[in-house]
């Protein structure tokens, strides 16, 4: 659940510290109380404190690519529009379809909704390339177990472009571990892919691992498929 405003107990809006380049997780205030309530330290008004320290409200995750910050929902494929409309932050979702249907745009919009809901808990949006890099770095730094634990336990995880490149056997095993543990513990996960079930299965070297992953996607994820572009 999102952090609460210390004044009215409504969901707080994340506060970004531009000097430290990080969120002020100890400052919990909502937009409504920003103009009326007082801060505990000089100059007491929230507006004065924000100006003094170069703080600002940020309702979009700072890692959101600029190309996805102004998504026009009506330009997404109808199935992606439906997915975004029906999305709730504690839900696991699979978005599949051909290139150009807006899967990644939809996933970023969902991620920002979910991130706000779960803030200040850790959330992660990763392309498959970045996921592989993170895991490989974990092996190189002898922190592989810590990397997998962080990915399985974070409040919200997005994996973009599953199946775009064939996976190594080690990566397939780690991917199964991540998805299996997250689904078992009902931790929300969003996955995008260009493939349907049979096409995605062909992207795995180990057929049993691929089948097991696809079974969990079918059992635990709400699935939206788009076959036409706008």
């Amino acid at each position: 659940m999102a952090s609460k405003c210390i004044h009215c107990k409504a969901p707080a809006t994340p506060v970004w510290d531009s000097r430290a380049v990080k969120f002020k997780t100890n400052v919990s205030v909502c937009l409504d109380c920003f103009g009326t309530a007082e801060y505990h330290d000089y100059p007491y008004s929230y507006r004065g404190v924000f100006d003094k320290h170069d703080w600002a409200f940020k309702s979009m995750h700072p890692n959101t690519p600029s190309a996805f910050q102004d998504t026009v929902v009506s330009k997404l494929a109808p199935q992606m529009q439906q997915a975004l409309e029906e999305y709730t932050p504690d839900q696991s979702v699979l978005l599949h379809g051909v290139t150009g249907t807006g899967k990644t745009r939809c996933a970023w919009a969902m991620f920002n909704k979910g991130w706000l809901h779960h803030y200040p808990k850790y959330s992660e949006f990763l392309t498959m390339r970045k996921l592989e890099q993170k895991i490989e770095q974990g092996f190189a730094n002898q922190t592989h177990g810590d990397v997998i634990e962080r990915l399985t336990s974070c409040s919200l995880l997005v994996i973009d472009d599953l199946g775009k490149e064939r996976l190594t056997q080690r990566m397939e095993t780690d991917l199964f571990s991540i998805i299996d543990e997250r689904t078992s513990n009902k931790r929300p996960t969003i996955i995008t892919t260009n493939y349907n079930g049979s096409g995605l299965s062909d992207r795995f070297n180990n057929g049993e691992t691929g089948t097991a992953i696809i079974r969990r996607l079918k059992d635990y994820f709400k699935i939206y498929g788009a076959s036409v572009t706008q």
Side-chain angles (χ1 to χ4, degrees), residues 81-97:
Q81 294 182 43
Q82 179 185 358
L84 187 55
E85 180 180 351
E86 295 177 352
Y87 173 69
T88 59
D90 292 320
Q91 185 179 63
S92 288
V93 178
L94 174 67
L95 307 173
H96 74 85

Side-chain angles (χ1 to χ4, degrees), residues 59 84-87 89 108-118 156:
S59 58
L84 187 55
E85 180 180 351
E86 295 177 352
Y87 173 69
W108 269 110
M110 288 180 173
F111 176 73
N112 276 302
K113 283 186 176 182
W115 166 70
L116 278 174
H117 175 80
H118 294 290
L156 172 64

Side-chain angles (χ1 to χ4, degrees), residues 50-166:
F50 273 46
D51 289 344
K52 176 182 177 181
H53 297 290
D54 289 335
W55 296 349
F57 286 119
K58 188 177 283 288
S59 58
M60 185 174 290
H61 195 281
N63 291 345
T64 306
S66 56
F68 301 129
Q69 291 179 8
D70 298 311
T71 292
V72 179
V73 176
S74 62
K75 291 186 177 181
L76 303 178
Q79 298 89 340
M80 297 300 107
Q81 294 182 43
Q82 179 185 358
L84 187 55
E85 180 180 351
E86 295 177 352
Y87 173 69
T88 59
D90 292 320
Q91 185 179 63
S92 288
V93 178
L94 174 67
L95 307 173
H96 74 85
V98 297
T99 300
T101 52
K103 299 184 300 297
T104 299
R105 285 186 177 277
C106 183
W108 269 110
M110 288 180 173
F111 176 73
N112 276 302
K113 283 186 176 182
W115 166 70
L116 278 174
H117 175 80
H118 294 290
Y119 176 83
K121 293 181 179 178
Y122 171 67
S123 299
E124 183 84 82
F125 189 115
L126 294 171
T127 62
M128 276 302 302
R129 179 180 63 83
K130 289 184 177 180
L131 176 61
E132 289 181 284
Q133 287 178 346
K134 188 177 286 287
I135 290 175
E136 290 299 329
Q137 288 172 358
F139 277 110
N141 299 332
Q142 297 184 335
T143 58
H144 175 256
D146 294 336
V147 171
I148 298 301
E149 174 62 26
R150 191 165 172 82
L151 293 172
T152 57
S153 63
C154 66
S155 62
L156 172 64
L157 175 67
V158 178
I159 301 175
D160 188 33
D161 267 340
L162 176 62
K164 189 172 185 178
E165 297 180 3
R166 286 192 177 274

Side-chain angles (χ1 to χ4, degrees), residues 3-27:
S3 59
K4 298 293 186 181
C5 173
I6 62 172
H7 304 287
C8 70
K9 307 307 178 185
T13 303
V15 176
W16 179 253
D17 184 338
S18 60
R19 294 179 187 175
V21 196
K22 63 181 183 180
F23 285 99
K24 296 290 295 182
T25 55
N26 62 332
V27 180

Side-chain angles (χ1 to χ4, degrees), residues 24-60:
K24 296 290 295 182
T25 55
N26 62 332
V27 180
S28 299
V29 63
C30 68
L31 293 173
D32 289 338
C33 293
F34 175 74
T36 57
E38 287 192 344
Y39 191 64
H40 64 82
D41 197 6
Y42 182 81
Y44 305 116
S45 74
Y46 274 101
R47 191 174 302 279
V49 172
F50 273 46
D51 289 344
K52 176 182 177 181
H53 297 290
D54 289 335
W55 296 349
F57 286 119
K58 188 177 283 288
S59 58
M60 185 174 290

